[in-house]
Amino acid sequence: MQLKILGGGQLGRMITLAGYPLGVRTTVLDPATDPCAGQVCPHIVGEYEDYRALYELAQSCDAVTFEFENVPVASARWLAERVPVFPPPQALEVSQDRLIEKSFLRDLGVPVPPFAAVETRADFDAALQSIGLPAVLKTRRFGYDGKGQYVLRSPADAETAWVALGGRPLILEGFVPFDREVSLICVRGREGSTAFYPLTENEHREGMLYRSLAPVTDTAEELTERAQEYALRILDALQYVGVLAIEWFQDGGQLLANEMAPRVHNSGHWTIEGAVTSQFENHVRAVLGLPLGSTEPRGYSAMFNLIGHHPPIPQLLALPAAKLHSYGKGPRPRRKIGHVTFVEPTAAQRDQHAAEFAQLLG
Ligand code: AMP
C-alpha cells in the first residue's frame, strides 16, 4: 500500500519506519531539500500550496496524511477531493487556531481554561478585566513549543506583552496552576473503532517537551476514564481517523484541555518500545483502513528528547537499556534531533534510569 505524507520531518520519518514491516511504502512532500524523512523514503521537493507537487503526491496513493498541523487547509481539502485524506481537513482547521479550538472544545463540554479573543488593545484590557491575573497571552495561529506567548503576572506586564504580540489575532487565557501536564494519545479507525494509550505525564522546559513518563502512576483510574470520555466526544464530532493527541492540565482532580494535535505526537514517542503497537503504526493502520493494534503498555516508559545537541552516540549506547532514535538532523539550538526511551518492568526502575539519564543530559 502507498501512503503519502505532507511534511518530511522526524514524525514523517517515524511514520515511514513504522510502515515498513506492514509492507506500506511512503513518499513525503516537503519544501526542504534534505528533510530527515527523505533519508528513509522518496521525497518530493515542493511547497504545500504547490498544486503540481500535490498532484504528483496524489498519484498511486491509498491515503494522504500529514505530520504537522499547519498544513494549508485548502491544500488538504483539494487533495481530499481526489484521494482519501486522514485525519479529516476539518481537524486541521480546528487545531490551527487556538480560539476556534478552545471554542470547539468548550461547545463539546470539554473543560478548558477561561479564555477571551483579543484583536485590539481595548479587547485586551477587557479580557484582562474578565480573566484576571496571572494569564497567558498567545497568538491564535502558528504558536508552538512555547513560541508566540507571554505570561502576565502583574498589571505592569500588560504593556510589554502587548508590545511583543499586539497587532495579531490573539487569545488571552487564564493561567492554570496545574499540578502536572498529561496527554492522551488516541486513535480512531476508518470504521469508527477507537483505542487509547495510557495517560502520559509530560515535563516541559523553556516551552519544549523535555521528558514523558508513561503510564502515569498515582493517578485515579477515574481521571483516565474522564480523559477518554472527553476524547471520544472530540473524535466523534470530527469523524476523526488517525492518531490524535490531546494535551491537558491536571489541577487536582480536574482536567482542562490545553490543545490538541491532529497527528502523531512527541509525547507518544515512548510507544515505539513501550506499547504493543506504536502510535506511528496505529496511525498508518488507521489512515489506510486497517485494523488497529493493541495500545497496551509493555512496562513503564520514560522518553527524553534530545534537543539542540546530545552526548556522543557511543556514550548514549553505553547505557544498555537506552533505546536511541537519532533523526539524522544536524545540531542546532532548540531543535529536536532525537530521543531516548527506557522501558522497565516497574515504575521504580524506570524512575531510577530516568534520573541517571537526566544527569547524563545535564
Ligand atoms: P502551548 O503552546 O499552548 O502548548 O503552551 C506551551 C506550554 O506553556 C504548556 O505546555 C504549559 O506548560 C504552558 N502554558 C500554556 N498555556 C498555559 C495556561 N493557560 N496556564 C498555565 N500554563 C500554560
Side-chain angles (χ1 to χ4, degrees), residues 132-168:
L133 291 175
V136 192
L137 186 67
K138 300 180 178 179
T139 54
R140 279 172 56 177
R141 297 174 65 86
F142 302 118
Y144 68 98
D145 288 343
K147 288 182 187 145
Q149 47 182 281
Y150 197 99
V151 179
L152 294 99
R153 300 193 184 275
S154 76
D157 292 334
E159 194 51 42
T160 329
W162 189 251
V163 169
L165 300 177
R168 284 172 280 182

PDB file of all heavy atoms in Angstrom, residues 132-168:
ATOM      1  N   GLY A 132      -8.581  38.161  34.615  1.00  0.00           N
ATOM      2  CA  GLY A 132      -7.728  38.415  35.776  1.00  0.00           C
ATOM      3  C   GLY A 132      -6.319  37.901  35.576  1.00  0.00           C
ATOM      4  O   GLY A 132      -5.983  37.354  34.530  1.00  0.00           O
ATOM      5  N   LEU A 133      -5.471  38.073  36.597  1.00  0.00           N
ATOM      6  CA  LEU A 133      -4.066  37.648  36.538  1.00  0.00           C
ATOM      7  C   LEU A 133      -3.834  36.516  37.544  1.00  0.00           C
ATOM      8  O   LEU A 133      -4.556  36.451  38.536  1.00  0.00           O
ATOM      9  CB  LEU A 133      -3.149  38.832  36.856  1.00  0.00           C
ATOM     10  CG  LEU A 133      -3.110  39.935  35.794  1.00  0.00           C
ATOM     11  CD1 LEU A 133      -2.251  41.103  36.293  1.00  0.00           C
ATOM     12  CD2 LEU A 133      -2.564  39.412  34.474  1.00  0.00           C
ATOM     13  N   PRO A 134      -2.849  35.655  37.302  1.00  0.00           N
ATOM     14  CA  PRO A 134      -1.995  35.582  36.124  1.00  0.00           C
ATOM     15  C   PRO A 134      -2.755  35.075  34.901  1.00  0.00           C
ATOM     16  O   PRO A 134      -3.795  34.436  35.035  1.00  0.00           O
ATOM     17  CB  PRO A 134      -0.889  34.603  36.538  1.00  0.00           C
ATOM     18  CG  PRO A 134      -1.493  33.767  37.625  1.00  0.00           C
ATOM     19  CD  PRO A 134      -2.495  34.626  38.323  1.00  0.00           C
ATOM     20  N   ALA A 135      -2.211  35.399  33.739  1.00  0.00           N
ATOM     21  CA  ALA A 135      -2.852  34.998  32.486  1.00  0.00           C
ATOM     22  C   ALA A 135      -1.768  34.793  31.421  1.00  0.00           C
ATOM     23  O   ALA A 135      -0.610  35.167  31.633  1.00  0.00           O
ATOM     24  CB  ALA A 135      -3.828  36.089  32.040  1.00  0.00           C
ATOM     25  N   VAL A 136      -2.150  34.174  30.328  1.00  0.00           N
ATOM     26  CA  VAL A 136      -1.201  33.937  29.233  1.00  0.00           C
ATOM     27  C   VAL A 136      -1.786  34.516  27.953  1.00  0.00           C
ATOM     28  O   VAL A 136      -2.910  34.178  27.582  1.00  0.00           O
ATOM     29  CB  VAL A 136      -0.939  32.422  29.000  1.00  0.00           C
ATOM     30  CG1 VAL A 136       0.247  32.224  28.072  1.00  0.00           C
ATOM     31  CG2 VAL A 136      -0.718  31.684  30.300  1.00  0.00           C
ATOM     32  N   LEU A 137      -1.021  35.414  27.316  1.00  0.00           N
ATOM     33  CA  LEU A 137      -1.441  35.970  26.027  1.00  0.00           C
ATOM     34  C   LEU A 137      -0.752  35.160  24.940  1.00  0.00           C
ATOM     35  O   LEU A 137       0.467  34.953  24.987  1.00  0.00           O
ATOM     36  CB  LEU A 137      -1.028  37.445  25.948  1.00  0.00           C
ATOM     37  CG  LEU A 137      -1.515  38.214  24.717  1.00  0.00           C
ATOM     38  CD1 LEU A 137      -3.042  38.364  24.722  1.00  0.00           C
ATOM     39  CD2 LEU A 137      -0.870  39.612  24.663  1.00  0.00           C
ATOM     40  N   LYS A 138      -1.550  34.652  23.978  1.00  0.00           N
ATOM     41  CA  LYS A 138      -0.971  33.783  22.932  1.00  0.00           C
ATOM     42  C   LYS A 138      -1.445  34.229  21.558  1.00  0.00           C
ATOM     43  O   LYS A 138      -2.584  34.708  21.417  1.00  0.00           O
ATOM     44  CB  LYS A 138      -1.455  32.337  23.111  1.00  0.00           C
ATOM     45  CG  LYS A 138      -1.104  31.679  24.421  1.00  0.00           C
ATOM     46  CD  LYS A 138      -1.637  30.246  24.454  1.00  0.00           C
ATOM     47  CE  LYS A 138      -1.270  29.542  25.742  1.00  0.00           C
ATOM     48  NZ  LYS A 138      -1.802  28.171  25.801  1.00  0.00           N
ATOM     49  N   THR A 139      -0.596  34.023  20.557  1.00  0.00           N
ATOM     50  CA  THR A 139      -1.061  34.223  19.188  1.00  0.00           C
ATOM     51  C   THR A 139      -2.058  33.101  18.883  1.00  0.00           C
ATOM     52  O   THR A 139      -1.914  31.978  19.370  1.00  0.00           O
ATOM     53  CB  THR A 139       0.092  34.156  18.168  1.00  0.00           C
ATOM     54  OG1 THR A 139       0.789  32.922  18.344  1.00  0.00           O
ATOM     55  CG2 THR A 139       1.061  35.303  18.351  1.00  0.00           C
ATOM     56  N   ARG A 140      -3.083  33.418  18.075  1.00  0.00           N
ATOM     57  CA  ARG A 140      -4.072  32.381  17.761  1.00  0.00           C
ATOM     58  C   ARG A 140      -3.489  31.320  16.851  1.00  0.00           C
ATOM     59  O   ARG A 140      -3.852  30.152  16.931  1.00  0.00           O
ATOM     60  CB  ARG A 140      -5.306  33.022  17.102  1.00  0.00           C
ATOM     61  CG  ARG A 140      -6.241  33.629  18.138  1.00  0.00           C
ATOM     62  CD  ARG A 140      -7.367  34.424  17.519  1.00  0.00           C
ATOM     63  NE  ARG A 140      -8.161  33.657  16.573  1.00  0.00           N
ATOM     64  CZ  ARG A 140      -9.244  34.141  15.951  1.00  0.00           C
ATOM     65  NH1 ARG A 140      -9.638  35.385  16.195  1.00  0.00           N
ATOM     66  NH2 ARG A 140      -9.907  33.400  15.096  1.00  0.00           N
ATOM     67  N   ARG A 141      -2.576  31.739  15.960  1.00  0.00           N
ATOM     68  CA  ARG A 141      -2.055  30.798  14.962  1.00  0.00           C
ATOM     69  C   ARG A 141      -0.532  30.711  15.045  1.00  0.00           C
ATOM     70  O   ARG A 141       0.142  31.630  15.495  1.00  0.00           O
ATOM     71  CB  ARG A 141      -2.447  31.238  13.556  1.00  0.00           C
ATOM     72  CG  ARG A 141      -3.960  31.236  13.351  1.00  0.00           C
ATOM     73  CD  ARG A 141      -4.332  31.822  11.999  1.00  0.00           C
ATOM     74  NE  ARG A 141      -3.854  31.004  10.908  1.00  0.00           N
ATOM     75  CZ  ARG A 141      -4.508  29.964  10.390  1.00  0.00           C
ATOM     76  NH1 ARG A 141      -5.686  29.636  10.857  1.00  0.00           N
ATOM     77  NH2 ARG A 141      -3.997  29.264   9.403  1.00  0.00           N
ATOM     78  N   PHE A 142      -0.016  29.581  14.567  1.00  0.00           N
ATOM     79  CA  PHE A 142       1.429  29.357  14.383  1.00  0.00           C
ATOM     80  C   PHE A 142       2.263  29.468  15.664  1.00  0.00           C
ATOM     81  O   PHE A 142       3.439  29.792  15.596  1.00  0.00           O
ATOM     82  CB  PHE A 142       2.005  30.302  13.316  1.00  0.00           C
ATOM     83  CG  PHE A 142       1.329  30.157  11.988  1.00  0.00           C
ATOM     84  CD1 PHE A 142       0.646  31.221  11.415  1.00  0.00           C
ATOM     85  CD2 PHE A 142       1.349  28.941  11.320  1.00  0.00           C
ATOM     86  CE1 PHE A 142      -0.003  31.080  10.195  1.00  0.00           C
ATOM     87  CE2 PHE A 142       0.703  28.793  10.094  1.00  0.00           C
ATOM     88  CZ  PHE A 142       0.030  29.862   9.535  1.00  0.00           C
ATOM     89  N   GLY A 143       1.661  29.200  16.798  1.00  0.00           N
ATOM     90  CA  GLY A 143       2.462  29.146  18.029  1.00  0.00           C
ATOM     91  C   GLY A 143       2.831  27.686  18.285  1.00  0.00           C
ATOM     92  O   GLY A 143       1.992  26.809  18.110  1.00  0.00           O
ATOM     93  N   TYR A 144       4.043  27.413  18.637  1.00  0.00           N
ATOM     94  CA  TYR A 144       4.420  26.054  19.025  1.00  0.00           C
ATOM     95  C   TYR A 144       5.642  26.114  19.916  1.00  0.00           C
ATOM     96  O   TYR A 144       6.371  27.116  19.922  1.00  0.00           O
ATOM     97  CB  TYR A 144       4.685  25.164  17.799  1.00  0.00           C
ATOM     98  CG  TYR A 144       5.916  25.569  17.016  1.00  0.00           C
ATOM     99  CD1 TYR A 144       7.135  24.926  17.206  1.00  0.00           C
ATOM    100  CD2 TYR A 144       5.868  26.618  16.125  1.00  0.00           C
ATOM    101  CE1 TYR A 144       8.265  25.325  16.513  1.00  0.00           C
ATOM    102  CE2 TYR A 144       6.988  27.032  15.426  1.00  0.00           C
ATOM    103  CZ  TYR A 144       8.175  26.374  15.621  1.00  0.00           C
ATOM    104  OH  TYR A 144       9.287  26.781  14.954  1.00  0.00           O
ATOM    105  N   ASP A 145       5.850  25.047  20.679  1.00  0.00           N
ATOM    106  CA  ASP A 145       6.997  24.968  21.586  1.00  0.00           C
ATOM    107  C   ASP A 145       7.173  26.261  22.394  1.00  0.00           C
ATOM    108  O   ASP A 145       8.282  26.761  22.570  1.00  0.00           O
ATOM    109  CB  ASP A 145       8.292  24.658  20.805  1.00  0.00           C
ATOM    110  CG  ASP A 145       8.321  23.214  20.297  1.00  0.00           C
ATOM    111  OD1 ASP A 145       7.535  22.406  20.816  1.00  0.00           O
ATOM    112  OD2 ASP A 145       9.117  22.911  19.400  1.00  0.00           O
ATOM    113  N   GLY A 146       6.050  26.816  22.857  1.00  0.00           N
ATOM    114  CA  GLY A 146       6.121  27.994  23.731  1.00  0.00           C
ATOM    115  C   GLY A 146       6.354  29.304  22.990  1.00  0.00           C
ATOM    116  O   GLY A 146       6.460  30.357  23.609  1.00  0.00           O
ATOM    117  N   LYS A 147       6.437  29.232  21.629  1.00  0.00           N
ATOM    118  CA  LYS A 147       6.656  30.485  20.880  1.00  0.00           C
ATOM    119  C   LYS A 147       5.333  31.213  20.723  1.00  0.00           C
ATOM    120  O   LYS A 147       4.290  30.601  20.637  1.00  0.00           O
ATOM    121  CB  LYS A 147       7.230  30.166  19.489  1.00  0.00           C
ATOM    122  CG  LYS A 147       8.663  29.707  19.572  1.00  0.00           C
ATOM    123  CD  LYS A 147       9.243  29.447  18.198  1.00  0.00           C
ATOM    124  CE  LYS A 147      10.619  28.818  18.357  1.00  0.00           C
ATOM    125  NZ  LYS A 147      10.939  27.843  17.334  1.00  0.00           N
ATOM    126  N   GLY A 148       5.412  32.554  20.639  1.00  0.00           N
ATOM    127  CA  GLY A 148       4.198  33.342  20.429  1.00  0.00           C
ATOM    128  C   GLY A 148       3.315  33.390  21.657  1.00  0.00           C
ATOM    129  O   GLY A 148       2.101  33.436  21.535  1.00  0.00           O
ATOM    130  N   GLN A 149       3.923  33.358  22.855  1.00  0.00           N
ATOM    131  CA  GLN A 149       3.103  33.537  24.047  1.00  0.00           C
ATOM    132  C   GLN A 149       3.844  34.290  25.136  1.00  0.00           C
ATOM    133  O   GLN A 149       5.076  34.316  25.162  1.00  0.00           O
ATOM    134  CB  GLN A 149       2.540  32.227  24.564  1.00  0.00           C
ATOM    135  CG  GLN A 149       3.476  31.068  24.693  1.00  0.00           C
ATOM    136  CD  GLN A 149       2.705  29.858  25.185  1.00  0.00           C
ATOM    137  OE1 GLN A 149       2.431  29.763  26.359  1.00  0.00           O
ATOM    138  NE2 GLN A 149       2.358  28.954  24.294  1.00  0.00           N
ATOM    139  N   TYR A 150       3.060  34.926  26.001  1.00  0.00           N
ATOM    140  CA  TYR A 150       3.628  35.779  27.033  1.00  0.00           C
ATOM    141  C   TYR A 150       2.823  35.580  28.320  1.00  0.00           C
ATOM    142  O   TYR A 150       1.605  35.707  28.313  1.00  0.00           O
ATOM    143  CB  TYR A 150       3.554  37.243  26.581  1.00  0.00           C
ATOM    144  CG  TYR A 150       4.468  38.139  27.361  1.00  0.00           C
ATOM    145  CD1 TYR A 150       5.700  38.525  26.857  1.00  0.00           C
ATOM    146  CD2 TYR A 150       4.097  38.583  28.647  1.00  0.00           C
ATOM    147  CE1 TYR A 150       6.547  39.333  27.599  1.00  0.00           C
ATOM    148  CE2 TYR A 150       4.944  39.389  29.386  1.00  0.00           C
ATOM    149  CZ  TYR A 150       6.166  39.761  28.858  1.00  0.00           C
ATOM    150  OH  TYR A 150       7.010  40.550  29.588  1.00  0.00           O
ATOM    151  N   VAL A 151       3.508  35.261  29.410  1.00  0.00           N
ATOM    152  CA  VAL A 151       2.829  35.067  30.697  1.00  0.00           C
ATOM    153  C   VAL A 151       2.773  36.408  31.436  1.00  0.00           C
ATOM    154  O   VAL A 151       3.805  37.061  31.609  1.00  0.00           O
ATOM    155  CB  VAL A 151       3.559  34.014  31.559  1.00  0.00           C
ATOM    156  CG1 VAL A 151       2.851  33.833  32.907  1.00  0.00           C
ATOM    157  CG2 VAL A 151       3.640  32.677  30.822  1.00  0.00           C
ATOM    158  N   LEU A 152       1.576  36.805  31.828  1.00  0.00           N
ATOM    159  CA  LEU A 152       1.400  38.067  32.561  1.00  0.00           C
ATOM    160  C   LEU A 152       1.160  37.754  34.032  1.00  0.00           C
ATOM    161  O   LEU A 152       0.230  37.005  34.361  1.00  0.00           O
ATOM    162  CB  LEU A 152       0.182  38.830  32.040  1.00  0.00           C
ATOM    163  CG  LEU A 152       0.277  39.333  30.605  1.00  0.00           C
ATOM    164  CD1 LEU A 152      -0.442  38.404  29.666  1.00  0.00           C
ATOM    165  CD2 LEU A 152      -0.325  40.716  30.531  1.00  0.00           C
ATOM    166  N   ARG A 153       2.018  38.324  34.883  1.00  0.00           N
ATOM    167  CA  ARG A 153       1.871  38.064  36.317  1.00  0.00           C
ATOM    168  C   ARG A 153       1.382  39.314  37.063  1.00  0.00           C
ATOM    169  O   ARG A 153       0.676  39.199  38.050  1.00  0.00           O
ATOM    170  CB  ARG A 153       3.177  37.567  36.915  1.00  0.00           C
ATOM    171  CG  ARG A 153       3.621  36.277  36.250  1.00  0.00           C
ATOM    172  CD  ARG A 153       4.722  35.544  36.976  1.00  0.00           C
ATOM    173  NE  ARG A 153       5.113  34.375  36.190  1.00  0.00           N
ATOM    174  CZ  ARG A 153       4.510  33.206  36.236  1.00  0.00           C
ATOM    175  NH1 ARG A 153       3.498  33.015  37.042  1.00  0.00           N
ATOM    176  NH2 ARG A 153       4.908  32.206  35.459  1.00  0.00           N
ATOM    177  N   SER A 154       1.782  40.489  36.572  1.00  0.00           N
ATOM    178  CA  SER A 154       1.333  41.729  37.246  1.00  0.00           C
ATOM    179  C   SER A 154       0.790  42.690  36.186  1.00  0.00           C
ATOM    180  O   SER A 154       1.113  42.557  35.001  1.00  0.00           O
ATOM    181  CB  SER A 154       2.507  42.367  37.979  1.00  0.00           C
ATOM    182  OG  SER A 154       3.341  43.009  37.050  1.00  0.00           O
ATOM    183  N   PRO A 155      -0.023  43.677  36.604  1.00  0.00           N
ATOM    184  CA  PRO A 155      -0.600  44.622  35.631  1.00  0.00           C
ATOM    185  C   PRO A 155       0.476  45.283  34.766  1.00  0.00           C
ATOM    186  O   PRO A 155       0.243  45.598  33.599  1.00  0.00           O
ATOM    187  CB  PRO A 155      -1.313  45.645  36.506  1.00  0.00           C
ATOM    188  CG  PRO A 155      -1.610  44.922  37.778  1.00  0.00           C
ATOM    189  CD  PRO A 155      -0.499  43.938  37.984  1.00  0.00           C
ATOM    190  N   ALA A 156       1.683  45.457  35.335  1.00  0.00           N
ATOM    191  CA  ALA A 156       2.763  46.110  34.574  1.00  0.00           C
ATOM    192  C   ALA A 156       3.187  45.279  33.363  1.00  0.00           C
ATOM    193  O   ALA A 156       3.775  45.807  32.409  1.00  0.00           O
ATOM    194  CB  ALA A 156       3.963  46.347  35.490  1.00  0.00           C
ATOM    195  N   ASP A 157       2.900  43.964  33.381  1.00  0.00           N
ATOM    196  CA  ASP A 157       3.300  43.107  32.251  1.00  0.00           C
ATOM    197  C   ASP A 157       2.449  43.350  31.005  1.00  0.00           C
ATOM    198  O   ASP A 157       2.828  42.932  29.900  1.00  0.00           O
ATOM    199  CB  ASP A 157       3.171  41.618  32.625  1.00  0.00           C
ATOM    200  CG  ASP A 157       4.177  41.202  33.690  1.00  0.00           C
ATOM    201  OD1 ASP A 157       5.230  41.860  33.773  1.00  0.00           O
ATOM    202  OD2 ASP A 157       3.894  40.239  34.419  1.00  0.00           O
ATOM    203  N   ALA A 158       1.282  43.984  31.193  1.00  0.00           N
ATOM    204  CA  ALA A 158       0.347  44.115  30.069  1.00  0.00           C
ATOM    205  C   ALA A 158       0.993  44.863  28.900  1.00  0.00           C
ATOM    206  O   ALA A 158       0.889  44.433  27.742  1.00  0.00           O
ATOM    207  CB  ALA A 158      -0.927  44.824  30.527  1.00  0.00           C
ATOM    208  N   GLU A 159       1.696  45.955  29.222  1.00  0.00           N
ATOM    209  CA  GLU A 159       2.276  46.770  28.161  1.00  0.00           C
ATOM    210  C   GLU A 159       3.336  45.972  27.378  1.00  0.00           C
ATOM    211  O   GLU A 159       3.335  45.957  26.144  1.00  0.00           O
ATOM    212  CB  GLU A 159       2.896  48.045  28.790  1.00  0.00           C
ATOM    213  CG  GLU A 159       3.242  49.132  27.795  1.00  0.00           C
ATOM    214  CD  GLU A 159       2.089  49.492  26.859  1.00  0.00           C
ATOM    215  OE1 GLU A 159       0.935  49.589  27.316  1.00  0.00           O
ATOM    216  OE2 GLU A 159       2.359  49.647  25.630  1.00  0.00           O
ATOM    217  N   THR A 160       4.219  45.283  28.109  1.00  0.00           N
ATOM    218  CA  THR A 160       5.282  44.506  27.457  1.00  0.00           C
ATOM    219  C   THR A 160       4.676  43.396  26.595  1.00  0.00           C
ATOM    220  O   THR A 160       5.137  43.140  25.470  1.00  0.00           O
ATOM    221  CB  THR A 160       6.182  43.837  28.535  1.00  0.00           C
ATOM    222  OG1 THR A 160       6.202  44.666  29.687  1.00  0.00           O
ATOM    223  CG2 THR A 160       7.566  43.580  28.028  1.00  0.00           C
ATOM    224  N   ALA A 161       3.644  42.748  27.128  1.00  0.00           N
ATOM    225  CA  ALA A 161       3.002  41.658  26.373  1.00  0.00           C
ATOM    226  C   ALA A 161       2.396  42.206  25.087  1.00  0.00           C
ATOM    227  O   ALA A 161       2.509  41.599  24.017  1.00  0.00           O
ATOM    228  CB  ALA A 161       1.925  40.990  27.228  1.00  0.00           C
ATOM    229  N   TRP A 162       1.792  43.398  25.209  1.00  0.00           N
ATOM    230  CA  TRP A 162       1.136  43.980  24.036  1.00  0.00           C
ATOM    231  C   TRP A 162       2.173  44.389  22.982  1.00  0.00           C
ATOM    232  O   TRP A 162       1.975  44.167  21.780  1.00  0.00           O
ATOM    233  CB  TRP A 162       0.261  45.175  24.436  1.00  0.00           C
ATOM    234  CG  TRP A 162      -0.585  45.634  23.297  1.00  0.00           C
ATOM    235  CD1 TRP A 162      -0.445  46.779  22.578  1.00  0.00           C
ATOM    236  CD2 TRP A 162      -1.683  44.927  22.713  1.00  0.00           C
ATOM    237  NE1 TRP A 162      -1.380  46.837  21.586  1.00  0.00           N
ATOM    238  CE2 TRP A 162      -2.159  45.713  21.640  1.00  0.00           C
ATOM    239  CE3 TRP A 162      -2.307  43.709  22.991  1.00  0.00           C
ATOM    240  CZ2 TRP A 162      -3.229  45.317  20.836  1.00  0.00           C
ATOM    241  CZ3 TRP A 162      -3.381  43.308  22.197  1.00  0.00           C
ATOM    242  CH2 TRP A 162      -3.830  44.102  21.142  1.00  0.00           C
ATOM    243  N   VAL A 163       3.285  44.956  23.445  1.00  0.00           N
ATOM    244  CA  VAL A 163       4.350  45.342  22.506  1.00  0.00           C
ATOM    245  C   VAL A 163       4.882  44.080  21.796  1.00  0.00           C
ATOM    246  O   VAL A 163       5.119  44.071  20.591  1.00  0.00           O
ATOM    247  CB  VAL A 163       5.494  46.081  23.243  1.00  0.00           C
ATOM    248  CG1 VAL A 163       6.715  46.243  22.343  1.00  0.00           C
ATOM    249  CG2 VAL A 163       5.010  47.447  23.722  1.00  0.00           C
ATOM    250  N   ALA A 164       5.019  42.983  22.561  1.00  0.00           N
ATOM    251  CA  ALA A 164       5.579  41.749  21.983  1.00  0.00           C
ATOM    252  C   ALA A 164       4.627  41.108  20.977  1.00  0.00           C
ATOM    253  O   ALA A 164       5.063  40.607  19.936  1.00  0.00           O
ATOM    254  CB  ALA A 164       5.918  40.760  23.092  1.00  0.00           C
ATOM    255  N   LEU A 165       3.329  41.102  21.280  1.00  0.00           N
ATOM    256  CA  LEU A 165       2.415  40.289  20.468  1.00  0.00           C
ATOM    257  C   LEU A 165       1.281  41.057  19.798  1.00  0.00           C
ATOM    258  O   LEU A 165       0.631  40.524  18.884  1.00  0.00           O
ATOM    259  CB  LEU A 165       1.795  39.175  21.335  1.00  0.00           C
ATOM    260  CG  LEU A 165       2.780  38.180  21.962  1.00  0.00           C
ATOM    261  CD1 LEU A 165       2.032  37.189  22.854  1.00  0.00           C
ATOM    262  CD2 LEU A 165       3.545  37.412  20.883  1.00  0.00           C
ATOM    263  N   GLY A 166       1.017  42.301  20.241  1.00  0.00           N
ATOM    264  CA  GLY A 166      -0.140  43.035  19.722  1.00  0.00           C
ATOM    265  C   GLY A 166      -0.109  43.213  18.210  1.00  0.00           C
ATOM    266  O   GLY A 166       0.958  43.158  17.592  1.00  0.00           O
ATOM    267  N   GLY A 167      -1.300  43.397  17.619  1.00  0.00           N
ATOM    268  CA  GLY A 167      -1.376  43.609  16.177  1.00  0.00           C
ATOM    269  C   GLY A 167      -1.727  42.341  15.425  1.00  0.00           C
ATOM    270  O   GLY A 167      -2.025  42.373  14.240  1.00  0.00           O
ATOM    271  N   ARG A 168      -1.675  41.201  16.132  1.00  0.00           N
ATOM    272  CA  ARG A 168      -2.072  39.933  15.503  1.00  0.00           C
ATOM    273  C   ARG A 168      -3.322  39.413  16.214  1.00  0.00           C
ATOM    274  O   ARG A 168      -3.577  39.802  17.358  1.00  0.00           O
ATOM    275  CB  ARG A 168      -0.952  38.896  15.675  1.00  0.00           C
ATOM    276  CG  ARG A 168       0.208  39.129  14.737  1.00  0.00           C
ATOM    277  CD  ARG A 168       1.364  38.215  15.068  1.00  0.00           C
ATOM    278  NE  ARG A 168       2.139  38.714  16.203  1.00  0.00           N
ATOM    279  CZ  ARG A 168       3.227  38.114  16.682  1.00  0.00           C
ATOM    280  NH1 ARG A 168       3.636  36.988  16.155  1.00  0.00           N
ATOM    281  NH2 ARG A 168       3.889  38.633  17.694  1.00  0.00           N
TER     282      ARG A 168
END
